[in-house]
Amino acid sequence: MPTRRYSKFIPPSLSMSELVCQKLDNDATDLLIDKWLERPHCPDAYYDWFQRVRERRHAANANICKEQILLWSKGVFVPENIFTRTVDTGRLIPLDRTWVTHVYHHQSMSRLNMMPVIFSMLPELMLLRGMHDRGCDEIYVIVTDLKRQEMDQVTDYFKYVCRNSANGPCKPSVEEKINHDHMTLTHMLDRNRRTPCFPQIDLTLRAILFEKRPPFVVLFSHQTMSYSQILFANSLFVPSKEVYFDFPSGCPNPGCTDNCCELIRFPKKGLETAAVLCDKRKVRYRYGRRAKPKELCNWIDCHVCFSDEVAPCAHHEGGSEGSVAGSSEGSEGSLYEARFAGLICSRCKLVKYCSPEHQKLDWEEHRRVCVKPGTVPESETQAQ
């Protein structure tokens, strides 16, 4: 069998990469989240942002069950009390779901622990993980030392390559531009003594996108005056501008809103600033996860996908864990309305179930976010 060679136009194999992969498991992610929660929150820009999201009460958009939303309706500031809607299944899940991180770096950094790398962008990764019900149990990060302008050029290169070489053979003009840009970046990073070299960055990133099919890949830079870039496989995976327009830049200064000192380029303006690789549906070489948005039952172990057909029944009663236990809170949320072949929670109107039984099973988790639209959060009520 002939040896597979590195090509700028054909997806390479991850086995060809010379970068070292350090794996941080779910326990390591749990540890990082606990450390992040131990920080004092009063001057923290991220905590202030979550408070602003809570005040905006995105639950007011209750009738729109497919929009991206971020909710903190009850309890203290911990990930299990903050819920986000997934873009692939339409479920409302908490941010406490962990992941495994694969960190690829140059061999000169083999003795270093990569946990500080993940800790520096933990809030962003938590939100991106929460946006995906499937395909985000593993997150991929490539560590570089690219400066700001170099990161911009590398991002533009990958966007151009993935969009123009996904269908196989390129036009001569496109092939010429890819070769020219690849050579320019290779010489520039070699001249500036960047590690890893650009061919290894290119090989590893495109191999991850092609073989692992993640919804996004992070190009991390440990340069002080640079930023880390999130490369999205599809525009569906990009955070919504309506929810994240005032997301903090990550600067240690709590009052800083300047994007010039951002630590990770989180697309606060949605598709306007997001680095999306390819949106084509029919391609020969697919880079990243394919976008297949569905609307599933909110119970995590259910695989029922709702259709656009109207269900024959209009209401069901007695469908929450709280109502079984005799709680007035649960009984209030136990009525359902049948729309689009799904039973909508009559209290928050944000989730659907295929049956009252699955609503009972999901109630232990869903009760932490289920409130009527426009209801004042618990902590604010107590303050009054």
Side-chain angles (χ1 to χ4, degrees):
M1 183 176 179
T3 304
R4 191 170 182 178
R5 296 183 178 181
Y6 167 64
S7 171
K8 297 181 285 292
F9 309 99
I10 301 176
S13 171
L14 197 53
S15 60
M16 300 166 58
S17 174
E18 297 179 2
L19 301 187
V20 179
C21 179
Q22 188 174 133
K23 184 178 177 181
L24 305 179
D25 59 12
N26 297 82
D27 293 336
T29 306
D30 274 329
L31 178 62
L32 290 174
I33 293 176
D34 292 340
K35 290 292 183 182
W36 185 72
L37 290 173
E38 290 175 2
R39 301 189 306 169
H41 291 304
C42 291
D44 189 88
Y46 292 104
Y47 177 74
D48 293 341
W49 179 78
F50 277 104
Q51 286 284 10
R52 293 197 299 271
V53 170
R54 190 176 199 178
E55 293 170 2
R56 288 198 289 264
R57 300 188 188 102
H58 287 285
N61 298 327
N63 294 326
I64 308 176
C65 293
K66 295 184 179 181
E67 281 192 355
Q68 290 187 29
I69 53 176
L70 188 69
L71 297 174
W72 176 19
S73 303
K74 303 178 182 179
V76 297
F77 181 70
V78 288
E80 53 262 34
N81 289 333
I82 303 174
F83 285 69
T84 181
R85 186 181 302 287
T86 60
V87 296
D88 50 355
T89 62
R91 287 173 171 149
L92 205 60
I93 65 173
L95 294 182
D96 63 347
R97 297 187 181 178
T98 58
W99 63 89
V100 176
T101 311
H102 301 267
V103 185
Y104 288 83
H105 57 82
H106 190 259
Q107 59 184 1
S108 61
M109 303 177 68
S110 298
R111 295 183 179 180
L112 301 179
N113 192 334
M114 291 294 117
M115 291 184 71
V117 171
I118 307 305
F119 187 81
S120 65
M121 50 184 175
L122 188 62
E124 290 82 0
L125 294 182
M126 287 173 59
L127 291 170
L128 292 173
R129 167 65 182 95
M131 287 176 54
H132 300 86
D133 192 12
R134 299 172 178 175
C136 222
D137 294 329
E138 300 186 28
I139 293 178
Y140 297 87
V141 178
I142 301 177
V143 179
T144 70
D145 59 353
L146 300 177
K147 290 190 174 181
R148 181 171 294 271
Q149 184 178 1
E150 296 167 346
M151 184 67 78
D152 290 338
Q153 293 177 272
V154 168
T155 300
D156 292 338
Y157 173 83
F158 284 123
K159 288 164 62 177
Y160 188 83
V161 169
C162 291
R163 292 174 183 177
N164 291 277
S165 64
N167 286 321
C170 306
K171 296 180 180 179
S173 58
V174 173
E175 186 173 337
E176 182 179 353
K177 175 175 173 54
I178 292 176
N179 283 322
H180 176 270
D181 292 348
H182 187 280
M183 185 180 300
T184 301
L185 288 170
T186 300
H187 291 326
M188 179 180 67
L189 299 189
D190 284 346
R191 185 173 61 252
N192 296 332
R193 297 183 179 181
R194 301 286 177 246
T195 55
C197 63
F198 181 70
Q200 281 298 320
I201 296 176
D202 175 48
L203 187 157
T204 306
L205 184 117
R206 289 193 296 121
I208 291 173
L209 289 169
F210 182 72
E211 294 184 0
K212 305 300 181 181
R213 304 289 174 89
F216 62 90
V217 175
V218 179
L219 266 181
F220 179 85
S221 175
H222 55 76
Q223 285 281 355
T224 306
M225 298 303 294
S226 186
Y227 68 93
S228 301
Q229 181 67 276
I230 307 172
L231 298 172
F232 294 93
N234 193 279
S235 59
L236 176 72
F237 306 141
V238 177
S240 171
K241 176 182 178 180
E242 285 71 21
V243 180
Y244 301 96
F245 66 91
D246 59 344
F247 191 77
S249 62
C251 176
N253 181 3
C256 178
T257 57
D258 189 1
N259 290 335
C260 292
C261 56
E262 59 190 349
L263 299 182
I264 180 170
R265 182 156 290 180
F266 195 83
K268 297 185 290 185
K269 297 183 179 180
L271 293 175
E272 296 179 24
T273 56
V276 181
L277 296 177
C278 185
D279 263 344
K280 297 179 180 179
R281 294 185 178 181
K282 295 182 179 181
V283 294
R284 182 175 179 181
Y285 305 121
R286 181 163 298 283
Y287 289 107
R289 188 173 181 83
R290 185 177 180 181
K292 293 182 178 180
K294 297 179 180 180
E295 192 175 14
L296 301 184
C297 173
N298 204 64
W299 171 236
I300 190 63
D301 291 330
C302 179
H303 302 287
V304 173
C305 182
F306 299 123
S307 64
D308 292 333
E309 298 176 359
V310 179
C313 54
H315 295 277
H316 291 266
E317 297 184 0
S320 72
E321 186 71 23
S323 62
V324 174
S327 168
S328 60
E329 178 183 359
S331 61
E332 186 179 355
S334 64
L335 299 180
Y336 288 86
E337 300 172 6
R339 298 178 182 174
F340 303 106
L343 308 176
I344 302 177
C345 178
S346 66
R347 172 185 282 183
C348 66
K349 301 186 184 297
L350 290 173
V351 295
K352 289 184 178 182
Y353 297 97
C354 63
S355 66
E357 289 73 21
H358 280 189
Q359 195 269 347
K360 292 179 182 179
L361 294 172
D362 189 52
W363 178 244
E364 186 63 31
E365 180 174 276
H366 181 61
R367 67 188 303 173
R368 301 198 300 266
V369 71
C370 185
V371 295
K372 291 183 178 181
T375 302
V376 179
E378 287 182 358
S379 61
E380 295 182 22
T381 305
Q382 295 173 359
Q384 293 174 358

